[in-house]
Amino acid sequence: MCVVVAMCAAGGATLRPEPLAVRTVAAAQADETVTIDGEKYPNPLRMNDGTAVTAAQWGNSRRAELLADFRQNVYGQSLPTPTAQTFEVTPTDFPGVTRKKITITVTGPQGTGGFAVDLFVPKTGGKPRGTFLLIDHRGQVGDDPGQTSGYAPISTITEAGYAFATFDAGQVAPDDSGSYRSGMINLFHPSDRELPDDAGRTISAWAWGASRAMDYLQTDPDIDPTKVAVIGHSRSGKAALWAGAQDTRFAAVITNDSGSTGTKLARRGDGGVGAETVARINDSFPHWFPQTYKAYDDRVDSLPVDQHELLALVAPRRIVVASATDDANADPEGEFLSYLAAAPVYQLYGLGDTGLPSTTWPPATDQGFRGPAMSYHLRSGGHGLTATDWGIYLKGDLFSRDAGAPGAR
Ligand code: GCU
């Protein structure tokens, strides 16, 4: 409607100040901030030039604007698409499951390197119900299809009819401030030079690794490429979110206890519970984020973005947020508020139902809440990716927009 007003003026037509025109122009002035828990936060539904964001603008321009801001100020510029990439696949049969060991070999301007992905496909007679791709920063999953750990219960996942894929994030970028460039980063940056201030570091590289694993999954005839969820816990939960925000091939994004620079709102500081702040995460893990992020250590209010806008970048695909009651370092209430604050963007698509019965903190524990494109749960207990979390994910009907399986709401 604003466009109509401008066109009338430019075309020299009589521009009558009709009440309708006045109303539409006024409606186009989006508020600069949204209020969350009494504090001001950037409004995802406002372009940087101040105009209100419509559904079409969200996909066409606001997403790009927010991604650019997150790249420049928080996660860093991503590694580029490899100049060449190959997949070597070794399948092995097990009762009920085929395991494929995949080596992804990547070439960049500075050399060639690789990392491994393990994929477990249930023999269901058709395609699996979906695939969970776990970014594994612990390097602990191993290749046993019978594995039952809470962190990666492969047999439970495949028995539920889902495929499970994982890679050791340390092969993409070691989680170490001295050697983090020695995986994939130095294939793209000369090793004898400092990285640019705005270049992504470990978390960005892990997210890039998830996209390379997704490149493979797109080619595997046993996998439905339209039903792949990227999942990560804690530091990998930050990477999973960043991967899913950028790479729209992921149908769902699961971020488990991701806390600071994951789901938690940065402007909440320590959330009144001693949670990890931007200053603290940059100090403790100097190799996770670019130099540009460190400039906000003592002025988080100047960040052009906050983390509810990262969750919103997953829209209209499914966002899944999980927190744990005793995980004070991650500020579970700050994660809950961030989840709620992403809903207005989902609402552009008519998908703003968070599944939660109310916006009051805390919601009931150990129960999945599911809207058509947003899912949330608050597990009782401490920081971790556990059998309870996986139980809720597996029951959560995450690859559909239906009202939800019984018990998933
Ligand atoms: C530390 C760190 C968190 C991180 C967590 C983890 O606690 O402060 O930001 O999420 O490690 O990865 O387990």
Side-chain angles (χ1 to χ4, degrees):
M1 296 301 265
C2 281
V3 175
V4 171
V5 171
M7 275 165 47
C8 290
T14 318
L15 179 58
R16 282 193 299 257
E18 292 167 352
L20 177 64
V22 173
R23 274 206 309 278
T24 34
V25 172
Q29 311 299 322
D31 290 340
E32 189 173 351
T33 56
V34 290
T35 303
I36 304 174
D37 198 24
E39 301 296 330
K40 290 190 186 317
Y41 285 76
N43 182 354
L45 291 178
R46 181 183 192 266
M47 299 289 298
N48 288 347
D49 73 5
T51 51
V53 170
T54 62
Q57 278 167 331
W58 175 262
N60 293 338
S61 41
R62 181 57 175 153
R63 250 185 74 74
E65 218 174 52
L66 280 171
L67 283 170
D69 281 344
F70 274 109
R71 285 196 185 104
Q72 184 57 35
N73 301 287
V74 181
Y75 298 100
Q77 307 297 331
S78 303
L79 294 175
T81 308
T83 48
Q85 178 165 253
T86 58
F87 309 121
E88 192 188 308
V89 186
T90 310
T92 310
D93 268 332
F94 291 88
V97 175
T98 304
R99 183 188 68 202
K100 300 187 190 185
K101 295 185 84 68
I102 301 121
T103 302
I104 300 187
T105 302
V106 165
T107 302
Q110 307 297 322
T112 295
F115 67 101
V117 174
D118 285 344
L119 170 65
F120 305 84
V121 186
K123 295 177 184 164
T124 56
K127 298 221 177 183
R129 297 171 66 189
T131 301
F132 294 94
L133 170 63
L134 175 74
I135 303 176
D136 173 27
H137 67 269
R138 295 180 177 168
Q140 269 181 6
V141 176
D143 62 4
D144 176 5
Q147 142 124 240
T148 56
S149 76
Y151 178 68
I154 300 176
S155 58
T156 311
I157 296 168
T158 53
E159 279 159 23
Y162 291 97
F164 177 76
T166 186
F167 65 93
D168 173 357
Q171 293 181 12
V172 175
D175 193 359
D176 174 75
S177 59
S179 62
Y180 70 96
R181 292 179 57 172
S182 66
M184 302 293 111
I185 295 178
N186 280 350
L187 303 181
F188 297 89
H189 291 279
S191 56
D192 57 351
R193 281 195 228 145
E194 293 285 314
L195 290 181
D197 280 357
D198 69 345
R201 269 62 174 180
T202 312
I203 299 291
S204 166
W206 293 352
W208 176 93
S211 286
R212 302 293 69 80
M214 184 57 159
D215 293 343
Y216 168 73
L217 292 171
Q218 301 275 309
T219 70
D220 189 311
D222 293 336
I223 298 298
D224 180 347
T226 69
K227 291 187 177 168
V228 179
V230 60
I231 170 169
H233 164 62
S234 204
R235 64 195 72 186
S236 298
K238 309 178 206 299
L241 253 182
W242 183 225
Q246 297 178 95
D247 189 337
T248 57
R249 296 173 300 173
F250 290 111
V253 179
I254 307 172
T255 184
N256 194 91
D257 300 1
S258 56
S260 177
T261 325
T263 300
K264 169 195 178 283
L265 295 164
R267 281 165 174 75
R268 277 176 56 92
D270 78 352
V273 291
E276 188 176 39
T277 60
V278 171
R280 221 174 77 203
I281 202 168
N282 278 329
D283 184 52
S284 313
F285 305 98
H287 57 292
W288 280 3
F289 305 108
Q291 288 304 112
T292 48
Y293 191 42
K294 297 175 180 138
Y296 295 98
D297 280 0
D298 301 316
R299 48 182 196 102
V300 281
D301 288 344
S302 320
L303 272 165
V305 287
D306 211 313
Q307 299 303 114
H308 59 306
E309 297 179 294
L310 183 67
L311 302 183
L313 281 167
V314 178
R317 297 161 295 132
R318 183 170 294 278
I319 182 71
V320 184
V321 168
S323 298
T325 50
D326 302 343
D327 188 10
N329 189 51
D331 183 14
E333 186 175 358
E335 296 182 316
F336 175 78
L337 292 169
S338 184
Y339 175 75
L340 294 178
V345 174
Y346 276 85
Q347 191 51 34
L348 288 177
Y349 298 91
L351 300 169
D353 173 5
T354 62
L356 288 157
S358 95
T359 55
T360 307
W361 172 260
T365 53
D366 302 321
Q367 185 184 334
F369 296 100
R370 182 186 186 285
M374 302 184 74
S375 302
Y376 173 89
H377 76 258
L378 175 66
R379 180 177 45 74
S380 49
H383 190 67
L385 173 55
T386 71
T388 302
D389 295 307
W390 274 109
I392 294 172
Y393 298 141
L394 293 175
K395 272 205 231 129
D397 203 9
L398 302 183
F399 298 100
S400 100
R401 288 261 157 84
D402 298 347
R409 266 192 95 97

